[in-house]
PDB file of all heavy atoms in Angstrom:
ATOM      1  N   ILE A   1      -7.565 321.365  33.033  1.00 80.00           N
ATOM      2  CA  ILE A   1      -8.598 322.299  33.506  1.00 80.00           C
ATOM      3  C   ILE A   1      -9.959 321.914  32.929  1.00 80.00           C
ATOM      4  O   ILE A   1     -10.971 321.898  33.651  1.00 80.00           O
ATOM      5  CB  ILE A   1      -8.230 323.734  33.098  1.00 80.00           C
ATOM      6  CG1 ILE A   1      -7.009 324.207  33.910  1.00 80.00           C
ATOM      7  CG2 ILE A   1      -9.417 324.672  33.312  1.00 80.00           C
ATOM      8  CD1 ILE A   1      -6.471 325.550  33.454  1.00 80.00           C
ATOM      9  N   SER A   2      -9.986 321.557  31.642  1.00 76.00           N
ATOM     10  CA  SER A   2     -11.247 321.151  31.025  1.00 76.00           C
ATOM     11  C   SER A   2     -11.756 319.847  31.644  1.00 76.00           C
ATOM     12  O   SER A   2     -12.948 319.709  31.905  1.00 76.00           O
ATOM     13  CB  SER A   2     -11.035 320.957  29.519  1.00 76.00           C
ATOM     14  OG  SER A   2     -10.623 322.158  28.910  1.00 76.00           O
ATOM     15  N   PHE A   3     -10.835 318.901  31.864  1.00 80.00           N
ATOM     16  CA  PHE A   3     -11.229 317.631  32.476  1.00 80.00           C
ATOM     17  C   PHE A   3     -11.824 317.859  33.854  1.00 80.00           C
ATOM     18  O   PHE A   3     -12.835 317.267  34.216  1.00 80.00           O
ATOM     19  CB  PHE A   3     -10.021 316.699  32.555  1.00 80.00           C
ATOM     20  CG  PHE A   3     -10.332 315.360  33.162  1.00 80.00           C
ATOM     21  CD1 PHE A   3     -10.956 314.379  32.425  1.00 80.00           C
ATOM     22  CD2 PHE A   3      -9.988 315.075  34.478  1.00 80.00           C
ATOM     23  CE1 PHE A   3     -11.251 313.135  32.966  1.00 80.00           C
ATOM     24  CE2 PHE A   3     -10.275 313.851  35.032  1.00 80.00           C
ATOM     25  CZ  PHE A   3     -10.909 312.879  34.287  1.00 80.00           C
ATOM     26  N   GLY A   4     -11.171 318.707  34.640  1.00 82.00           N
ATOM     27  CA  GLY A   4     -11.676 319.016  35.969  1.00 82.00           C
ATOM     28  C   GLY A   4     -13.036 319.685  35.922  1.00 82.00           C
ATOM     29  O   GLY A   4     -13.938 319.372  36.725  1.00 82.00           O
ATOM     30  N   SER A   5     -13.223 320.594  34.993  1.00 79.00           N
ATOM     31  CA  SER A   5     -14.510 321.310  34.862  1.00 79.00           C
ATOM     32  C   SER A   5     -15.641 320.367  34.480  1.00 79.00           C
ATOM     33  O   SER A   5     -16.722 320.410  35.040  1.00 79.00           O
ATOM     34  CB  SER A   5     -14.379 322.434  33.829  1.00 79.00           C
ATOM     35  OG  SER A   5     -13.383 323.361  34.213  1.00 79.00           O
ATOM     36  N   VAL A   6     -15.358 319.488  33.496  1.00 76.00           N
ATOM     37  CA  VAL A   6     -16.385 318.544  33.045  1.00 76.00           C
ATOM     38  C   VAL A   6     -16.697 317.530  34.147  1.00 76.00           C
ATOM     39  O   VAL A   6     -17.844 317.138  34.345  1.00 76.00           O
ATOM     40  CB  VAL A   6     -15.902 317.806  31.778  1.00 76.00           C
ATOM     41  CG1 VAL A   6     -16.872 316.682  31.405  1.00 76.00           C
ATOM     42  CG2 VAL A   6     -15.801 318.800  30.614  1.00 76.00           C
ATOM     43  N   SER A   7     -15.680 317.112  34.887  1.00 81.00           N
ATOM     44  CA  SER A   7     -15.873 316.098  35.931  1.00 81.00           C
ATOM     45  C   SER A   7     -16.765 316.596  37.073  1.00 81.00           C
ATOM     46  O   SER A   7     -17.430 315.798  37.753  1.00 81.00           O
ATOM     47  CB  SER A   7     -14.533 315.662  36.493  1.00 81.00           C
ATOM     48  OG  SER A   7     -13.732 315.048  35.484  1.00 81.00           O
ATOM     49  N   THR A   8     -16.783 317.901  37.288  1.00 83.00           N
ATOM     50  CA  THR A   8     -17.663 318.434  38.344  1.00 83.00           C
ATOM     51  C   THR A   8     -19.133 318.161  38.037  1.00 83.00           C
ATOM     52  O   THR A   8     -19.941 318.085  38.966  1.00 83.00           O
ATOM     53  CB  THR A   8     -17.441 319.941  38.505  1.00 83.00           C
ATOM     54  OG1 THR A   8     -17.669 320.604  37.225  1.00 83.00           O
ATOM     55  CG2 THR A   8     -16.033 320.253  38.977  1.00 83.00           C
ATOM     56  N   ALA A   9     -19.458 317.978  36.763  1.00 76.00           N
ATOM     57  CA  ALA A   9     -20.842 317.646  36.405  1.00 76.00           C
ATOM     58  C   ALA A   9     -21.213 316.253  36.891  1.00 76.00           C
ATOM     59  O   ALA A   9     -22.404 315.928  37.008  1.00 76.00           O
ATOM     60  CB  ALA A   9     -21.037 317.763  34.897  1.00 76.00           C
ATOM     61  N   PHE A  10     -20.199 315.399  37.136  1.00 77.00           N
ATOM     62  CA  PHE A  10     -20.440 314.053  37.642  1.00 77.00           C
ATOM     63  C   PHE A  10     -20.350 313.980  39.163  1.00 77.00           C
ATOM     64  O   PHE A  10     -20.333 312.898  39.743  1.00 77.00           O
ATOM     65  CB  PHE A  10     -19.439 313.077  37.025  1.00 77.00           C
ATOM     66  CG  PHE A  10     -19.549 312.951  35.546  1.00 77.00           C
ATOM     67  CD1 PHE A  10     -18.812 313.751  34.696  1.00 77.00           C
ATOM     68  CD2 PHE A  10     -20.424 312.026  34.981  1.00 77.00           C
ATOM     69  CE1 PHE A  10     -18.915 313.641  33.323  1.00 77.00           C
ATOM     70  CE2 PHE A  10     -20.547 311.907  33.612  1.00 77.00           C
ATOM     71  CZ  PHE A  10     -19.791 312.715  32.771  1.00 77.00           C
ATOM     72  N   GLY A  11     -20.230 315.139  39.810  1.00 81.00           N
ATOM     73  CA  GLY A  11     -20.166 315.162  41.246  1.00 81.00           C
ATOM     74  C   GLY A  11     -18.795 314.960  41.851  1.00 81.00           C
ATOM     75  O   GLY A  11     -18.646 314.756  43.039  1.00 81.00           O
ATOM     76  N   ILE A  12     -17.737 315.039  40.990  1.00 84.00           N
ATOM     77  CA  ILE A  12     -16.376 314.854  41.465  1.00 84.00           C
ATOM     78  C   ILE A  12     -15.771 316.236  41.719  1.00 84.00           C
ATOM     79  O   ILE A  12     -15.834 317.113  40.858  1.00 84.00           O
ATOM     80  CB  ILE A  12     -15.524 314.123  40.427  1.00 84.00           C
ATOM     81  CG1 ILE A  12     -16.146 312.749  40.140  1.00 84.00           C
ATOM     82  CG2 ILE A  12     -14.092 313.925  40.909  1.00 84.00           C
ATOM     83  CD1 ILE A  12     -15.418 311.976  39.038  1.00 84.00           C
ATOM     84  N   PRO A  13     -15.194 316.482  42.900  1.00 87.00           N
ATOM     85  CA  PRO A  13     -14.550 317.776  43.181  1.00 87.00           C
ATOM     86  C   PRO A  13     -13.486 318.087  42.129  1.00 87.00           C
ATOM     87  O   PRO A  13     -12.783 317.208  41.647  1.00 87.00           O
ATOM     88  CB  PRO A  13     -13.940 317.567  44.559  1.00 87.00           C
ATOM     89  CG  PRO A  13     -14.772 316.486  45.189  1.00 87.00           C
ATOM     90  CD  PRO A  13     -15.148 315.577  44.070  1.00 87.00           C
ATOM     91  N   TYR A  14     -13.358 319.372  41.809  1.00 87.00           N
ATOM     92  CA  TYR A  14     -12.451 319.805  40.748  1.00 87.00           C
ATOM     93  C   TYR A  14     -11.023 319.352  41.005  1.00 87.00           C
ATOM     94  O   TYR A  14     -10.371 318.800  40.113  1.00 87.00           O
ATOM     95  CB  TYR A  14     -12.529 321.335  40.630  1.00 87.00           C
ATOM     96  CG  TYR A  14     -11.584 321.930  39.623  1.00 87.00           C
ATOM     97  CD1 TYR A  14     -11.953 321.989  38.282  1.00 87.00           C
ATOM     98  CD2 TYR A  14     -10.344 322.429  39.982  1.00 87.00           C
ATOM     99  CE1 TYR A  14     -11.079 322.535  37.341  1.00 87.00           C
ATOM    100  CE2 TYR A  14      -9.477 322.961  39.066  1.00 87.00           C
ATOM    101  CZ  TYR A  14      -9.855 323.014  37.742  1.00 87.00           C
ATOM    102  OH  TYR A  14      -9.001 323.540  36.814  1.00 87.00           O
ATOM    103  N   ASP A  15     -10.492 319.584  42.210  1.00 88.00           N
ATOM    104  CA  ASP A  15      -9.106 319.240  42.503  1.00 88.00           C
ATOM    105  C   ASP A  15      -8.849 317.747  42.371  1.00 88.00           C
ATOM    106  O   ASP A  15      -7.833 317.324  41.817  1.00 88.00           O
ATOM    107  CB  ASP A  15      -8.733 319.717  43.916  1.00 88.00           C
ATOM    108  CG  ASP A  15      -8.774 321.221  44.056  1.00 88.00           C
ATOM    109  OD1 ASP A  15      -8.700 321.908  43.005  1.00 88.00           O
ATOM    110  OD2 ASP A  15      -8.886 321.727  45.187  1.00 88.00           O
ATOM    111  N   ILE A  16      -9.775 316.958  42.883  1.00 88.00           N
ATOM    112  CA  ILE A  16      -9.617 315.503  42.795  1.00 88.00           C
ATOM    113  C   ILE A  16      -9.657 315.035  41.346  1.00 88.00           C
ATOM    114  O   ILE A  16      -8.907 314.149  40.933  1.00 88.00           O
ATOM    115  CB  ILE A  16     -10.707 314.792  43.622  1.00 88.00           C
ATOM    116  CG1 ILE A  16     -10.534 315.124  45.110  1.00 88.00           C
ATOM    117  CG2 ILE A  16     -10.681 313.281  43.400  1.00 88.00           C
ATOM    118  CD1 ILE A  16     -11.598 314.533  45.997  1.00 88.00           C
ATOM    119  N   ALA A  17     -10.525 315.648  40.546  1.00 87.00           N
ATOM    120  CA  ALA A  17     -10.639 315.271  39.128  1.00 87.00           C
ATOM    121  C   ALA A  17      -9.340 315.545  38.389  1.00 87.00           C
ATOM    122  O   ALA A  17      -8.884 314.739  37.562  1.00 87.00           O
ATOM    123  CB  ALA A  17     -11.781 316.024  38.483  1.00 87.00           C
ATOM    124  N   VAL A  18      -8.720 316.685  38.659  1.00 88.00           N
ATOM    125  CA  VAL A  18      -7.454 317.024  38.012  1.00 88.00           C
ATOM    126  C   VAL A  18      -6.375 316.014  38.399  1.00 88.00           C
ATOM    127  O   VAL A  18      -5.593 315.549  37.537  1.00 88.00           O
ATOM    128  CB  VAL A  18      -7.020 318.448  38.384  1.00 88.00           C
ATOM    129  CG1 VAL A  18      -5.604 318.725  37.877  1.00 88.00           C
ATOM    130  CG2 VAL A  18      -7.991 319.455  37.790  1.00 88.00           C
ATOM    131  N   ILE A  19      -6.321 315.633  39.666  1.00 90.00           N
ATOM    132  CA  ILE A  19      -5.335 314.653  40.125  1.00 90.00           C
ATOM    133  C   ILE A  19      -5.576 313.308  39.426  1.00 90.00           C
ATOM    134  O   ILE A  19      -4.628 312.641  38.987  1.00 90.00           O
ATOM    135  CB  ILE A  19      -5.402 314.494  41.654  1.00 90.00           C
ATOM    136  CG1 ILE A  19      -4.956 315.786  42.327  1.00 90.00           C
ATOM    137  CG2 ILE A  19      -4.525 313.336  42.108  1.00 90.00           C
ATOM    138  CD1 ILE A  19      -5.126 315.784  43.842  1.00 90.00           C
ATOM    139  N   ILE A  20      -6.842 312.897  39.326  1.00 89.00           N
ATOM    140  CA  ILE A  20      -7.145 311.638  38.628  1.00 89.00           C
ATOM    141  C   ILE A  20      -6.704 311.711  37.170  1.00 89.00           C
ATOM    142  O   ILE A  20      -6.126 310.755  36.637  1.00 89.00           O
ATOM    143  CB  ILE A  20      -8.667 311.356  38.708  1.00 89.00           C
ATOM    144  CG1 ILE A  20      -9.082 311.065  40.157  1.00 89.00           C
ATOM    145  CG2 ILE A  20      -9.041 310.184  37.823  1.00 89.00           C
ATOM    146  CD1 ILE A  20     -10.573 310.918  40.341  1.00 89.00           C
ATOM    147  N   GLY A  21      -6.965 312.847  36.525  1.00 87.00           N
ATOM    148  CA  GLY A  21      -6.537 313.012  35.139  1.00 87.00           C
ATOM    149  C   GLY A  21      -5.040 312.905  34.971  1.00 87.00           C
ATOM    150  O   GLY A  21      -4.563 312.237  34.029  1.00 87.00           O
ATOM    151  N   VAL A  22      -4.282 313.519  35.873  1.00 88.00           N
ATOM    152  CA  VAL A  22      -2.827 313.439  35.804  1.00 88.00           C
ATOM    153  C   VAL A  22      -2.357 312.002  35.962  1.00 88.00           C
ATOM    154  O   VAL A  22      -1.474 311.507  35.214  1.00 88.00           O
ATOM    155  CB  VAL A  22      -2.188 314.339  36.888  1.00 88.00           C
ATOM    156  CG1 VAL A  22      -0.701 314.077  36.986  1.00 88.00           C
ATOM    157  CG2 VAL A  22      -2.467 315.801  36.587  1.00 88.00           C
ATOM    158  N   ILE A  23      -2.922 311.274  36.914  1.00 91.00           N
ATOM    159  CA  ILE A  23      -2.518 309.896  37.173  1.00 91.00           C
ATOM    160  C   ILE A  23      -2.804 309.006  35.965  1.00 91.00           C
ATOM    161  O   ILE A  23      -1.934 308.214  35.526  1.00 91.00           O
ATOM    162  CB  ILE A  23      -3.231 309.351  38.421  1.00 91.00           C
ATOM    163  CG1 ILE A  23      -2.747 310.076  39.666  1.00 91.00           C
ATOM    164  CG2 ILE A  23      -2.974 307.838  38.563  1.00 91.00           C
ATOM    165  CD1 ILE A  23      -3.509 309.709  40.923  1.00 91.00           C
ATOM    166  N   VAL A  24      -3.979 309.155  35.376  1.00 89.00           N
ATOM    167  CA  VAL A  24      -4.328 308.329  34.223  1.00 89.00           C
ATOM    168  C   VAL A  24      -3.419 308.624  33.042  1.00 89.00           C
ATOM    169  O   VAL A  24      -2.927 307.711  32.358  1.00 89.00           O
ATOM    170  CB  VAL A  24      -5.815 308.572  33.819  1.00 89.00           C
ATOM    171  CG1 VAL A  24      -6.137 307.863  32.504  1.00 89.00           C
ATOM    172  CG2 VAL A  24      -6.740 308.080  34.925  1.00 89.00           C
ATOM    173  N   ILE A  25      -3.151 309.898  32.774  1.00 87.00           N
ATOM    174  CA  ILE A  25      -2.280 310.286  31.664  1.00 87.00           C
ATOM    175  C   ILE A  25      -0.873 309.729  31.870  1.00 87.00           C
ATOM    176  O   ILE A  25      -0.256 309.189  30.933  1.00 87.00           O
ATOM    177  CB  ILE A  25      -2.236 311.818  31.512  1.00 87.00           C
ATOM    178  CG1 ILE A  25      -3.585 312.328  31.034  1.00 87.00           C
ATOM    179  CG2 ILE A  25      -1.149 312.248  30.539  1.00 87.00           C
ATOM    180  CD1 ILE A  25      -3.704 313.828  31.042  1.00 87.00           C
ATOM    181  N   ILE A  26      -0.347 309.829  33.074  1.00 89.00           N
ATOM    182  CA  ILE A  26       0.995 309.330  33.359  1.00 89.00           C
ATOM    183  C   ILE A  26       1.058 307.811  33.142  1.00 89.00           C
ATOM    184  O   ILE A  26       2.006 307.303  32.542  1.00 89.00           O
ATOM    185  CB  ILE A  26       1.419 309.663  34.796  1.00 89.00           C
ATOM    186  CG1 ILE A  26       1.659 311.191  34.919  1.00 89.00           C
ATOM    187  CG2 ILE A  26       2.676 308.913  35.190  1.00 89.00           C
ATOM    188  CD1 ILE A  26       1.982 311.646  36.335  1.00 89.00           C
ATOM    189  N   ILE A  27       0.028 307.099  33.572  1.00 91.00           N
ATOM    190  CA  ILE A  27       0.051 305.622  33.454  1.00 91.00           C
ATOM    191  C   ILE A  27       0.075 305.186  31.996  1.00 91.00           C
ATOM    192  O   ILE A  27       0.960 304.413  31.591  1.00 91.00           O
ATOM    193  CB  ILE A  27      -1.168 305.011  34.175  1.00 91.00           C
ATOM    194  CG1 ILE A  27      -1.026 305.180  35.693  1.00 91.00           C
ATOM    195  CG2 ILE A  27      -1.307 303.533  33.834  1.00 91.00           C
ATOM    196  CD1 ILE A  27      -2.231 304.709  36.478  1.00 91.00           C
ATOM    197  N   TYR A  28      -0.874 305.670  31.190  1.00 88.00           N
ATOM    198  CA  TYR A  28      -0.907 305.146  29.815  1.00 88.00           C
ATOM    199  C   TYR A  28       0.182 305.733  28.926  1.00 88.00           C
ATOM    200  O   TYR A  28       0.596 305.113  27.946  1.00 88.00           O
ATOM    201  CB  TYR A  28      -2.311 305.293  29.193  1.00 88.00           C
ATOM    202  CG  TYR A  28      -2.692 306.667  28.701  1.00 88.00           C
ATOM    203  CD1 TYR A  28      -2.182 307.183  27.520  1.00 88.00           C
ATOM    204  CD2 TYR A  28      -3.650 307.437  29.382  1.00 88.00           C
ATOM    205  CE1 TYR A  28      -2.579 308.433  27.060  1.00 88.00           C
ATOM    206  CE2 TYR A  28      -4.042 308.657  28.905  1.00 88.00           C
ATOM    207  CZ  TYR A  28      -3.506 309.158  27.756  1.00 88.00           C
ATOM    208  OH  TYR A  28      -3.895 310.398  27.293  1.00 88.00           O
ATOM    209  N   THR A  29       0.700 306.892  29.286  1.00 88.00           N
ATOM    210  CA  THR A  29       1.815 307.447  28.525  1.00 88.00           C
ATOM    211  C   THR A  29       3.118 306.765  28.901  1.00 88.00           C
ATOM    212  O   THR A  29       3.924 306.426  28.013  1.00 88.00           O
ATOM    213  CB  THR A  29       1.943 308.965  28.786  1.00 88.00           C
ATOM    214  OG1 THR A  29       0.713 309.602  28.446  1.00 88.00           O
ATOM    215  CG2 THR A  29       3.065 309.559  27.929  1.00 88.00           C
ATOM    216  N   TYR A  30       3.352 306.526  30.172  1.00 89.00           N
ATOM    217  CA  TYR A  30       4.590 305.912  30.637  1.00 89.00           C
ATOM    218  C   TYR A  30       4.685 304.448  30.165  1.00 89.00           C
ATOM    219  O   TYR A  30       5.755 303.966  29.819  1.00 89.00           O
ATOM    220  CB  TYR A  30       4.672 305.962  32.151  1.00 89.00           C
ATOM    221  CG  TYR A  30       5.901 305.303  32.729  1.00 89.00           C
ATOM    222  CD1 TYR A  30       7.130 305.944  32.693  1.00 89.00           C
ATOM    223  CD2 TYR A  30       5.818 304.044  33.311  1.00 89.00           C
ATOM    224  CE1 TYR A  30       8.264 305.323  33.216  1.00 89.00           C
ATOM    225  CE2 TYR A  30       6.937 303.410  33.815  1.00 89.00           C
ATOM    226  CZ  TYR A  30       8.159 304.071  33.787  1.00 89.00           C
ATOM    227  OH  TYR A  30       9.260 303.462  34.292  1.00 89.00           O
ATOM    228  N   THR A  31       3.563 303.745  30.139  1.00 91.00           N
ATOM    229  CA  THR A  31       3.617 302.328  29.803  1.00 91.00           C
ATOM    230  C   THR A  31       3.743 302.069  28.302  1.00 91.00           C
ATOM    231  O   THR A  31       4.402 301.116  27.898  1.00 91.00           O
ATOM    232  CB  THR A  31       2.353 301.619  30.323  1.00 91.00           C
ATOM    233  OG1 THR A  31       1.188 302.309  29.826  1.00 91.00           O
ATOM    234  CG2 THR A  31       2.323 301.593  31.831  1.00 91.00           C
ATOM    235  N   SER A  32       3.118 302.895  27.459  1.00 90.00           N
ATOM    236  CA  SER A  32       3.106 302.584  26.039  1.00 90.00           C
ATOM    237  C   SER A  32       3.584 303.716  25.119  1.00 90.00           C
ATOM    238  O   SER A  32       3.640 303.526  23.907  1.00 90.00           O
ATOM    239  CB  SER A  32       1.683 302.190  25.604  1.00 90.00           C
ATOM    240  OG  SER A  32       0.769 303.231  25.921  1.00 90.00           O
ATOM    241  N   GLY A  33       3.912 304.862  25.666  1.00 90.00           N
ATOM    242  CA  GLY A  33       4.475 305.939  24.849  1.00 90.00           C
ATOM    243  C   GLY A  33       3.489 306.417  23.788  1.00 90.00           C
ATOM    244  O   GLY A  33       2.288 306.551  24.024  1.00 90.00           O
ATOM    245  N   MET A  34       4.019 306.652  22.581  1.00 90.00           N
ATOM    246  CA  MET A  34       3.224 307.200  21.514  1.00 90.00           C
ATOM    247  C   MET A  34       2.095 306.258  21.087  1.00 90.00           C
ATOM    248  O   MET A  34       1.022 306.728  20.657  1.00 90.00           O
ATOM    249  CB  MET A  34       4.108 307.513  20.312  1.00 90.00           C
ATOM    250  CG  MET A  34       3.380 308.091  19.113  1.00 90.00           C
ATOM    251  SD  MET A  34       2.421 309.576  19.498  1.00 90.00           S
ATOM    252  CE  MET A  34       3.730 310.771  19.698  1.00 90.00           C
ATOM    253  N   TRP A  35       2.317 304.952  21.212  1.00 91.00           N
ATOM    254  CA  TRP A  35       1.230 304.024  20.855  1.00 91.00           C
ATOM    255  C   TRP A  35      -0.003 304.265  21.733  1.00 91.00           C
ATOM    256  O   TRP A  35      -1.130 304.353  21.229  1.00 91.00           O
ATOM    257  CB  TRP A  35       1.702 302.582  21.014  1.00 91.00           C
ATOM    258  CG  TRP A  35       2.444 302.053  19.850  1.00 91.00           C
ATOM    259  CD1 TRP A  35       3.785 301.792  19.739  1.00 91.00           C
ATOM    260  CD2 TRP A  35       1.897 301.711  18.572  1.00 91.00           C
ATOM    261  NE1 TRP A  35       4.100 301.328  18.484  1.00 91.00           N
ATOM    262  CE2 TRP A  35       2.945 301.247  17.746  1.00 91.00           C
ATOM    263  CE3 TRP A  35       0.602 301.734  18.028  1.00 91.00           C
ATOM    264  CZ2 TRP A  35       2.763 300.827  16.431  1.00 91.00           C
ATOM    265  CZ3 TRP A  35       0.405 301.314  16.713  1.00 91.00           C
ATOM    266  CH2 TRP A  35       1.484 300.877  15.941  1.00 91.00           C
ATOM    267  N   GLY A  36       0.195 304.386  23.023  1.00 90.00           N
ATOM    268  CA  GLY A  36      -0.932 304.618  23.916  1.00 90.00           C
ATOM    269  C   GLY A  36      -1.580 305.966  23.667  1.00 90.00           C
ATOM    270  O   GLY A  36      -2.817 306.083  23.687  1.00 90.00           O
ATOM    271  N   VAL A  37      -0.754 306.988  23.443  1.00 89.00           N
ATOM    272  CA  VAL A  37      -1.280 308.331  23.182  1.00 89.00           C
ATOM    273  C   VAL A  37      -2.099 308.361  21.904  1.00 89.00           C
ATOM    274  O   VAL A  37      -3.201 308.914  21.860  1.00 89.00           O
ATOM    275  CB  VAL A  37      -0.119 309.349  23.110  1.00 89.00           C
ATOM    276  CG1 VAL A  37      -0.652 310.705  22.651  1.00 89.00           C
ATOM    277  CG2 VAL A  37       0.569 309.466  24.449  1.00 89.00           C
ATOM    278  N   ALA A  38      -1.579 307.727  20.852  1.00 90.00           N
ATOM    279  CA  ALA A  38      -2.248 307.751  19.544  1.00 90.00           C
ATOM    280  C   ALA A  38      -3.557 306.987  19.568  1.00 90.00           C
ATOM    281  O   ALA A  38      -4.592 307.486  19.083  1.00 90.00           O
ATOM    282  CB  ALA A  38      -1.326 307.178  18.480  1.00 90.00           C
ATOM    283  N   VAL A  39      -3.557 305.793  20.139  1.00 91.00           N
ATOM    284  CA  VAL A  39      -4.763 304.978  20.164  1.00 91.00           C
ATOM    285  C   VAL A  39      -5.820 305.595  21.062  1.00 91.00           C
ATOM    286  O   VAL A  39      -7.005 305.653  20.703  1.00 91.00           O
ATOM    287  CB  VAL A  39      -4.438 303.544  20.612  1.00 91.00           C
ATOM    288  CG1 VAL A  39      -5.716 302.716  20.766  1.00 91.00           C
ATOM    289  CG2 VAL A  39      -3.510 302.867  19.605  1.00 91.00           C
TER     290      VAL A  39
END
């Protein structure tokens, strides 16, 4: 929700921003686990 709210300041629609956030989180979490999350 915070990511979507902040992204609207960059001209990105709220719903699209949330979807982008979910995709990015899934990619770096799925590929590297705790290492990716921690770094």
Side-chain angles (χ1 to χ4, degrees):
I1 290 173
S2 299
F3 180 78
S5 300
V6 172
S7 298
T8 56
F10 297 92
I12 302 176
Y14 177 84
D15 295 340
I16 295 178
V18 171
I19 294 174
I20 293 174
V22 170
I23 293 174
V24 172
I25 292 172
I26 290 176
I27 290 175
Y28 77 75
T29 303
Y30 178 78
T31 54
S32 57
M34 180 55 73
W35 276 108
V37 172
V39 174

